[in-house]
Amino acid sequence: MTEILPNFIKNRALLTPDREAIVFNKESLTFKELYEKAYYRAGLLTAFGVKDTDYVGFLIKSDLETVLHLFAMQIIGAKAVLLNNRLTANEMTFQLTDANATFLITEDHFQETARQLAEELKISVYYKEGIEDRSYIEPIEKEQFSLADTCTIMYTSGTTGLPKGVIQSYGNHWWSAIGNTLNAGLYEKETWLCAVPLFHISGFSILMRSVIYGMKIVLHDGFNEHKVLQDIREERVTIVSVVTTMLERIEQATNEKFPAYFRYMLLGGGPATVELITRCINKGIRVYYSYGMTETSSQIVTLSPEDSIRKIGSAGKALFPAQLKIVNDLGEVLGPNEVGEIKVCGPNVSQGYLNKENHLKDGWFFTGDIGYIDSEGFLYVLDRRSDLIISGGENVYPAEVEAVLSEMEGIKEAAVIGIPDNQWGQVPVAFVVVDGSVLSEKSIMKNCEKSLAKYKIPKRVFFVSELPRNASGKIVRRNLREWVEEQKDF
Amino acid sequence: MTEILPNFIKNRALLTPDREAIVFNKESLTFKELYEKAYYRAGLLTAFGVKDTDYVGFLIKSDLETVLHLFAMQIIGAKAVLLNNRLTANEMTFQLTDANATFLITEDHFQETARQLAEELKISVYYKEGIEDRSYIEPIEKEQFSLADTCTIMYTSGTTGLPKGVIQSYGNHWWSAIGNTLNAGLYEKETWLCAVPLFHISGFSILMRSVIYGMKIVLHDGFNEHKVLQDIREERVTIVSVVTTMLERIEQATNEKFPAYFRYMLLGGGPATVELITRCINKGIRVYYSYGMTETSSQIVTLSPEDSIRKIGSAGKALFPAQLKIVNDLGEVLGPNEVGEIKVCGPNVSQGYLNKENHLKDGWFFTGDIGYIDSEGFLYVLDRRSDLIISGGENVYPAEVEAVLSEMEGIKEAAVIGIPDNQWGQVPVAFVVVDGSVLSEKSIMKNCEKSLAKYKIPKRVFFVSELPRNASGKIVRRNLREWVEEQKDF
C-alpha cells in the first residue's frame, strides 16, 4: 500500500509555523508566511485556470517568487515541468510538447522566449511579476499526498540524445530527503544554502528538504563564492550544495577557517579531484562527496561523515533506503573491485519517464555509469554514463550535440567528447567529417546556437577525414581523447 | 506500491560497520559485531527449527543476548511475539495461543513459567543461555523487507478487557523512527539510553531506531536513576526514554546541571505534572512530552523543541508523517478547544490486530483517549482511553481486571479505577458487589495472583452494595473516583 502523507508545505506550517523557512536577499519568511503566500499564489494559479491534473512549465530563475509558485503547485497538486533556463526555445518546445504542458509560468526576463513558446505551442503564459493585479479564486487544496503522486518532471537526455522527462513523485523526493538525513544527521537550526539552480534536482531537492525537515534555506539567485562565504557567517549556514567548480572557487576565495557550526559541503554533479578535496579538508571544510542523478531525485550514494577523509575519492555507500550493485554486460552481479555498470534501486528512484515504457528491470535502474565497489563496500565512479560530459554542473550528452551537428549541411558525421577545463571542469569539443563542402569552425558553432544551449556548444571543432571506430562500428571516443591530449598547443 | 528496503540490521552493518552500536554492562559492540553475532544466532534458531513464517514468543529480560536474538529474528524474517515478563502464566498462555506461537525464546530466570507454558501449549522452548552447545545451520537471510511485512506482535487489552495482538510491521517501526527524527533531529554520535523494557514498544522502538539511524544504545537491565545519571556522563548519552515515575526519580537524584551534549528526555506512557516538567527545566533537563501507544508503534504526537517550555502540559503536535483529529460521538471532526475522542492516522499506525477484523475507519485509528487541540494545533490529552490506568508505565485495563474479579466465586460484579499514587503515578483499586458470600480484601487480592500480573492487582478492594450506573447501565467511574477522594483515611 502506498503511503498517504499530509501535504508537506501545509503540514510544516502547522508543525513549526514560526520557524524561519527561507531567506532571499535579506527578505525572510517563516513557514507560516511561506505557506500563506504560496496558498495565495495557488489561488492566482487557480483563477488562471491551473488544475491538479495540469503539467505546468516553469521557465524561471531562483528567487522567492519562484519558490512561492513552486509550493503553490504542491498546494493544488499540479505538476511542475522544470525547464533548464539555459536551453534554446527549440529545446524547450520539445520538452513542453512531450509533457503536454498547458501553462507556462515565467518572468519578464524570459519574455522573448516565452512569447516564442506561446506562439508555437498555444500555451498560456503566466508572469510571476505583477501578481497584485491578478484575479484570485480560492484554491482546492490537496490535504494529503499519495507518495506515488507526481510532483515534478525534469528532462535528461541519456545516451540516445533525445530528452526524456523523468517523473519524480512526492515519494521520490521524500525518500531522498530521508536518505540524506539518515546519512548526515539533522541538526537544530540546520540551514542549507542553495546557490544551485532550482530547476535542477540539486536545487529543487533543497526546497523539498526544507519543508520535510523544517529547515531554513538561504537562497541565492546565482553562484558567487564571496556571497556564499559571507552568508555562511551572516546566516549561520550549516550545509552548502556544490559542484566541483563551485567548491574550487569557494576554496580559493578564503583563507579563514570555517565556523564550527558549518557542517559540510554536499558535492555532486561529477567527479572532484582528490587534490581539491584535500585542500578543502586542510581548510577545515568537510566535503561529502556524493553520486546521483535526476532519476534518483538527487544523491543516492554518499560518503559517510566518518569516511570522508579515509575514503577520499570514493562516492561512498548507498543511502540507507537504497541499494547498489555493479553488473557486467550480461547483467550478472560483479564482486569487489570488479569494474562494470552501476545499477541502483530504492524508493527515491524514479519509476519512469513520461511517455516511455518502464525502464526499470526488476526495480533496478541501470545508470550507464561505470565504476566498482571496493572490498569494504565503497563505490568508485570511473566514468559517468561512459561519454557524459559535465560542464559547470550541467549535463551535456554527446549524442544530442552530435545529432545537431550531423544534420547541418555539409557535415557527414560528427563525434563529441568532453575535455578537461579549468573553469568548467569539462567542456565539449567536436570532431566532424565534411562531405566536400567548405565549412569553418566559427560557422558551425554559430549554427549550433539555434538548437543548443550555450553550454552544449562545442568549444572547438576539429575537422577529420574519418572517425575512429571499433569492429562493430562504434566510435572509439578514447582515441579522440588521446588525440586531443597530444595536441600541445590546444 | 509498498516500499522495499534492505534488511535494516544487515544494511546498517554494511554502511557503518565500525560505529559503536550498543553498550551493556560495559560490553560494547560495533554494528558489524552486532550483525555478525545476530547472524550467528539466526543460524542457531534455524537449527532449532525457526522459519520466517513462524511466530516466536519472547519471554526475556533486557540484556545483550536478548537484543542479539531479537535481531536474529529479523535476519530470518520470523515474527517476535513480545511477552510482558510481568504477566502470569495464564495471561501468557492466552497470548501465545492467540498468536499461534510455535516457539518460545526465554532464559533460565523464567524457567518455571516456561516449563508451564511448554506443557500447556506443546511449544518448543529455546534458552538464551548456553548457545555454544547448540547446533547451527546457515540461516536463510532476508536481504530486504517489504515495509508491510510483520516484524513484531505486542498485546494490549483495550476497553474490552481481552488482550489483542497489535501487528507492528517493519514499516510501522521505520516510519515511527523517521517521525521522531524529523521532530527532534539526529546528531552525530547520538546515544539513546534504554532503561525501559524491550518487550514494550518504548524499549523495542529504541532498538529499531538504533539500526535505522546508526545510533548507539546504552542498554540497562532495569531502571536505576543513579545508573542512568552515571551513564549519561560516562557514555555521553544524548537521549533517555522515560515514564513519569522514572523522570521524577532522576530529577530527585541530582542537583548537578546536565552536560551540554545531553539533548532530551523523551517522556511517554502517561501524563506528567506541569510541576515536574518545570522542576526538570530548572535543572536544565529538556523534556519532550509525547503521546503514543502500542498501536502507533511508539510516540505519534510530540512536543517540538521550540515549544517544550511555552506549551508545557501539551503533548505537542503529530509527528510529520502522521495526522491527528478530535471527533465527537458521531465521528464528526471538532474545532479548536472542543473536547472529544482523539483519532490518529499515519504510516506508523498498526494496520490491525491478530485474528481480528480491521479496526481502522478510513485509515484512522480511534484511540479511545479524550482530549482537545488548541487554536495553535497543540494536543492536550485529558484522559487515556477514558478508564485506562497507567501504573509505573504499564497499562492496566480496568475491563481486564474486572473480568477476573467478576469470575471469582462470591462476586456479583466489580468495577476498577485508577487512583493517584506517589510511587507509581497511578494504582488500580476495585469496588465489588458480593452475592452474600463472606469475602475478605486479602483473599480477593490473593485470588488475583493466578491470573493477573502484579501491577494489575488492585491495591485496595472496597465492598459496596451496588455500583453507580447511568441511565444506559454503564458504570459511572467518575462517581467512584469522587468517592475515593472523599475517604480521608485512605
Side-chain angles (χ1 to χ4, degrees):
Chain A
M1 201 195 69
T2 303
E3 299 303 349
I4 304 292
L5 256 61
N7 186 313
F8 298 169
I9 169 84
K10 181 184 170 74
N11 196 38
R12 177 46 65 193
L14 171 74
L15 294 181
T16 54
D18 302 324
R19 213 184 271 180
E20 202 174 6
I22 187 164
V23 178
F24 177 74
N25 278 348
K26 301 288 162 204
E27 189 179 349
S28 158
L29 295 182
T30 63
F31 281 105
K32 182 160 180 274
E33 292 164 338
L34 181 71
Y35 168 65
E36 288 174 350
K37 283 175 185 286
Y39 186 91
Y40 181 73
R41 277 138 191 92
L44 303 184
L45 291 177
T46 301
F48 197 71
V50 177
K51 296 176 306 297
D52 59 347
T53 49
D54 285 319
Y55 287 76
V56 179
F58 269 73
L59 172 55
I60 41 77
K61 296 206 275 187
S62 292
D63 62 22
L64 200 48
E65 202 56 51
T66 291
V67 170
L68 293 171
H69 278 88
L70 284 169
F71 281 125
M73 296 285 289
Q74 299 191 16
I75 286 172
I76 52 184
K79 295 124 186 83
V81 181
L82 292 152
L83 299 168
N84 184 325
N85 64 28
R86 300 170 68 186
L87 299 180
T88 64
N90 281 349
E91 291 169 312
M92 292 181 193
T93 298
F94 177 90
Q95 299 186 7
L96 292 172
T97 307
D98 183 62
N100 199 15
T102 36
F103 298 92
L104 177 71
I105 294 180
T106 189
E107 52 196 73
D108 289 344
H109 180 85
F110 299 111
Q111 212 169 41
E112 205 177 314
T113 312
R115 227 177 265 150
Q116 226 177 307
L117 295 170
E119 246 172 61
E120 271 184 61
L121 296 166
K122 315 279 173 250
I123 205 170
S124 304
V125 179
Y126 170 110
Y127 286 90
K128 280 160 51 188
E129 289 87 357
I131 63 161
E132 49 287 336
D133 301 327
R134 299 189 169 280
S135 53
Y136 175 94
I137 293 176
E138 202 62 29
I140 301 169
E141 186 173 39
K142 259 193 123 64
E143 294 288 332
Q144 46 192 28
F145 303 137
S146 156
L147 289 189
D149 290 346
T150 299
C151 176
T152 43
I153 306 289
M154 295 184 193
Y155 277 81
T156 58
S157 290
T159 42
T160 65
L162 264 194
K164 292 180 285 185
V166 179
I167 302 169
Q168 296 162 334
S169 67
Y170 285 96
N172 291 150
H173 292 303
W174 171 273
W175 284 95
S176 169
I178 297 306
N180 173 69
T181 285
L182 294 179
N183 179 56
L186 176 62
Y187 281 49
E188 217 177 318
K189 302 203 174 146
E190 197 87 276
T191 302
W192 203 306
L193 192 151
C194 175
V196 286
L198 289 176
F199 56 73
H200 265 184
I201 187 60
S202 57
F204 189 81
S205 62
I206 300 174
L207 278 196
M208 298 306 286
R209 291 183 199 116
S210 167
V211 289
I212 294 170
Y213 300 166
M215 172 187 77
K216 171 175 154 185
I217 295 181
V218 178
L219 181 67
H220 285 185
D221 53 7
F223 173 66
N224 176 305
E225 61 271 34
H226 303 290
K227 211 173 149 222
V228 168
L229 287 165
Q230 187 185 337
D231 269 359
I232 286 176
R233 289 180 194 277
E234 289 184 4
E235 298 288 348
R236 292 187 68 91
V237 166
T238 57
I239 309 169
V240 184
S241 287
V242 293
V243 296
T244 307
T245 44
M246 292 165 66
L247 186 61
E248 174 77 39
R249 280 161 61 184
I250 293 169
E251 192 273 334
Q252 285 295 315
T254 183
N255 280 311
E256 286 178 71
K257 226 175 149 53
F258 267 47
Y261 54 76
F262 182 81
R263 300 218 296 129
Y264 61 93
M265 299 281 183
L266 182 64
L267 174 63
T273 60
V274 172
E275 186 261 330
L276 170 59
I277 297 185
T278 312
R279 266 189 281 138
C280 288
I281 291 170
N282 291 342
K283 285 191 180 159
I285 311 172
R286 269 172 127 181
V287 178
Y288 292 179
Y289 183 36
S290 73
Y291 165 73
M293 58 217 75
T294 310
E295 287 90 339
T296 60
S297 318
S298 174
Q299 51 175 333
I300 185 163
V301 179
T302 307
L303 207 54
S304 269
E306 56 254 73
D307 303 311
S308 56
I309 293 172
R310 189 173 67 89
K311 283 288 177 175
I312 198 167
S314 163
K317 297 175 177 173
L319 296 180
F320 197 101
Q323 296 178 65
L324 171 69
K325 290 203 188 320
I326 304 290
V327 292
N328 64 15
D329 289 347
L330 303 168
E332 294 161 344
V333 175
L334 299 176
N337 298 312
E338 292 185 306
V339 174
E341 183 176 357
I342 301 165
K343 72 169 186 177
V344 295
C345 80
N348 59 319
V349 176
S350 165
Q351 290 299 299
Y353 299 104
L354 270 186
N355 313 317
K356 298 267 179 288
E357 272 178 42
N358 182 8
H359 64 299
L360 301 181
K361 294 173 194 164
D362 293 330
W364 289 85
F365 172 61
F366 285 69
T367 64
D369 296 344
I370 305 299
Y372 66 92
I373 297 173
D374 75 7
S375 58
E376 291 183 82
F378 289 86
L379 173 70
Y380 289 79
V381 181
L382 298 180
D383 233 339
R384 299 277 308 220
R385 300 201 184 192
S386 49
D387 45 11
L388 174 65
I389 302 161
I390 303 185
S391 187
E394 295 281 2
N395 290 347
V396 181
Y397 300 91
E400 186 187 3
V401 183
E402 287 162 3
V404 168
L405 291 171
S406 304
E407 281 182 15
M408 280 183 200
E409 218 172 295
I411 293 182
K412 258 169 71 182
E413 53 176 5
V416 171
I417 61 165
I419 59 164
D421 180 86
N422 283 336
Q423 192 181 355
W424 303 109
Q426 281 185 301
V427 291
V429 299
F431 297 82
V432 297
V433 180
V434 293
D435 64 1
S437 317
V438 180
L439 286 174
S440 77
E441 182 172 17
K442 221 167 172 179
S443 71
I444 292 175
M445 290 179 182
K446 184 80 195 159
N447 235 323
C448 285
E449 286 175 15
K450 278 200 304 279
S451 327
L452 292 175
K454 209 173 159 199
Y455 62 88
K456 299 180 186 172
I457 299 175
K459 295 295 161 292
R460 289 297 307 270
V461 180
F462 300 103
F463 295 85
V464 292
S465 56
E466 60 175 346
L467 296 174
R469 292 188 186 272
N470 66 11
S472 59
K474 274 194 179 174
I475 294 171
V476 186
R477 290 168 205 277
R478 197 173 356 99
N479 290 5
L480 293 173
R481 259 179 233 122
E482 281 167 14
W483 188 84
V484 168
E485 278 162 24
E486 283 164 15
Q487 308 300 305
K488 296 279 181 223
D489 61 343
F490 175 70
Chain B
M1 200 193 69
T2 302
E3 298 303 348
I4 305 292
L5 255 60
N7 186 312
F8 299 168
I9 170 84
K10 180 183 171 71
N11 195 39
R12 178 46 65 192
L14 170 73
L15 294 182
T16 55
D18 303 324
R19 212 183 272 180
E20 202 173 6
I22 188 164
V23 177
F24 177 74
N25 278 348
K26 301 285 163 209
E27 187 179 350
S28 159
L29 296 181
T30 63
F31 280 105
K32 184 162 179 273
E33 292 165 339
L34 182 71
Y35 169 66
E36 287 172 353
K37 284 175 184 283
Y39 186 93
Y40 181 74
R41 280 142 189 90
L44 303 182
L45 292 178
T46 301
F48 197 73
V50 177
K51 294 178 307 300
D52 59 345
T53 48
D54 284 320
Y55 287 76
V56 180
F58 268 74
L59 171 57
I60 40 78
K61 297 206 275 187
S62 291
D63 62 22
L64 201 48
E65 203 55 52
T66 291
V67 170
L68 294 171
H69 278 88
L70 283 169
F71 281 124
M73 296 285 289
Q74 299 190 17
I75 286 172
I76 50 183
K79 294 123 186 81
V81 181
L82 292 153
L83 300 167
N84 185 325
N85 65 27
R86 302 170 68 184
L87 299 180
T88 64
N90 281 349
E91 291 169 312
M92 291 181 196
T93 298
F94 178 88
Q95 299 186 7
L96 292 172
T97 307
D98 183 61
N100 199 14
T102 37
F103 298 92
L104 178 72
I105 294 181
T106 189
E107 53 196 72
D108 289 346
H109 180 86
F110 299 111
Q111 214 168 42
E112 205 178 310
T113 313
R115 226 177 268 150
Q116 225 177 305
L117 295 170
E119 246 173 61
E120 272 185 60
L121 296 168
K122 316 278 174 245
I123 206 168
S124 304
V125 180
Y126 169 111
Y127 286 90
K128 279 161 48 188
E129 287 87 359
I131 64 160
E132 49 286 338
D133 303 327
R134 297 190 169 280
S135 53
Y136 175 94
I137 293 178
E138 202 59 30
I140 302 170
E141 185 174 40
K142 258 194 124 64
E143 294 288 333
Q144 46 192 28
F145 304 136
S146 156
L147 289 188
D149 290 348
T150 299
C151 176
T152 42
I153 307 288
M154 296 185 192
Y155 277 81
T156 58
S157 291
T159 42
T160 64
L162 264 193
K164 292 180 285 185
V166 180
I167 302 169
Q168 295 162 335
S169 66
Y170 285 97
N172 291 151
H173 292 304
W174 171 274
W175 284 95
S176 170
I178 297 305
N180 174 68
T181 285
L182 293 180
N183 180 56
L186 177 61
Y187 281 49
E188 218 177 317
K189 303 199 173 150
E190 196 86 276
T191 302
W192 203 307
L193 192 151
C194 176
V196 286
L198 288 177
F199 56 73
H200 265 184
I201 187 60
S202 57
F204 189 82
S205 63
I206 301 174
L207 278 197
M208 297 306 284
R209 289 183 201 116
S210 168
V211 289
I212 294 170
Y213 302 164
M215 174 188 76
K216 171 174 154 186
I217 295 181
V218 178
L219 181 67
H220 286 186
D221 53 7
F223 174 66
N224 176 304
E225 61 271 34
H226 303 291
K227 211 171 150 227
V228 169
L229 287 165
Q230 187 185 337
D231 269 359
I232 285 176
R233 287 177 197 280
E234 288 184 8
E235 298 290 348
R236 291 187 69 90
V237 166
T238 58
I239 308 169
V240 185
S241 288
V242 293
V243 296
T244 308
T245 43
M246 292 165 67
L247 186 63
E248 174 79 39
R249 279 160 62 184
I250 293 170
E251 191 274 333
Q252 286 295 313
T254 183
N255 280 312
E256 285 178 72
K257 221 172 155 57
F258 267 47
Y261 55 75
F262 182 81
R263 299 217 299 128
Y264 61 92
M265 300 280 185
L266 182 63
L267 174 64
T273 60
V274 173
E275 185 262 332
L276 169 59
I277 297 186
T278 311
R279 265 189 282 137
C280 288
I281 290 170
N282 291 341
K283 282 189 183 163
I285 311 171
R286 266 172 128 183
V287 178
Y288 292 179
Y289 182 37
S290 73
Y291 165 74
M293 58 217 77
T294 309
E295 286 91 337
T296 60
S297 316
S298 172
Q299 51 176 331
I300 186 164
V301 178
T302 307
L303 206 53
S304 269
E306 57 252 74
D307 304 312
S308 57
I309 294 173
R310 190 174 67 89
K311 284 288 175 173
I312 200 166
S314 163
K317 297 175 179 175
L319 295 181
F320 197 102
Q323 296 177 64
L324 171 70
K325 291 204 189 319
I326 304 291
V327 291
N328 65 15
D329 288 347
L330 303 170
E332 295 161 339
V333 175
L334 299 176
N337 298 313
E338 291 185 306
V339 174
E341 183 174 358
I342 301 165
K343 72 169 186 178
V344 294
C345 81
N348 59 319
V349 175
S350 165
Q351 290 298 299
Y353 300 104
L354 270 185
N355 313 318
K356 299 267 179 288
E357 274 178 44
N358 181 9
H359 64 297
L360 301 182
K361 294 175 194 161
D362 293 329
W364 289 85
F365 173 62
F366 286 69
T367 64
D369 295 344
I370 303 301
Y372 67 90
I373 297 173
D374 74 8
S375 58
E376 290 183 81
F378 289 86
L379 173 70
Y380 290 78
V381 181
L382 298 180
D383 234 340
R384 301 275 310 219
R385 299 198 189 197
S386 50
D387 45 12
L388 173 65
I389 303 162
I390 303 185
S391 187
E394 296 280 4
N395 289 349
V396 182
Y397 300 91
E400 184 186 4
V401 184
E402 288 163 3
V404 169
L405 291 171
S406 303
E407 280 180 16
M408 280 184 199
E409 218 173 292
I411 292 183
K412 255 170 71 182
E413 54 177 2
V416 171
I417 61 166
I419 59 164
D421 181 85
N422 282 336
Q423 191 180 357
W424 303 110
Q426 283 186 298
V427 291
V429 301
F431 298 81
V432 297
V433 180
V434 293
D435 66 0
S437 320
V438 179
L439 287 173
S440 79
E441 182 172 17
K442 225 169 171 176
S443 70
I444 291 174
M445 290 178 186
K446 184 84 193 153
N447 235 323
C448 286
E449 285 173 17
K450 277 199 305 277
S451 330
L452 292 174
K454 208 173 159 200
Y455 62 86
K456 299 180 187 172
I457 298 174
K459 296 296 159 292
R460 291 296 307 273
V461 181
F462 300 101
F463 296 86
V464 291
S465 57
E466 60 174 345
L467 295 173
R469 292 188 185 270
N470 65 12
S472 61
K474 277 195 175 172
I475 294 170
V476 186
R477 288 169 206 278
R478 195 171 0 98
N479 289 4
L480 293 172
R481 259 179 234 120
E482 282 166 13
W483 188 84
V484 169
E485 278 162 24
E486 283 163 15
Q487 308 299 305
K488 298 276 179 225
D489 62 343
F490 176 69

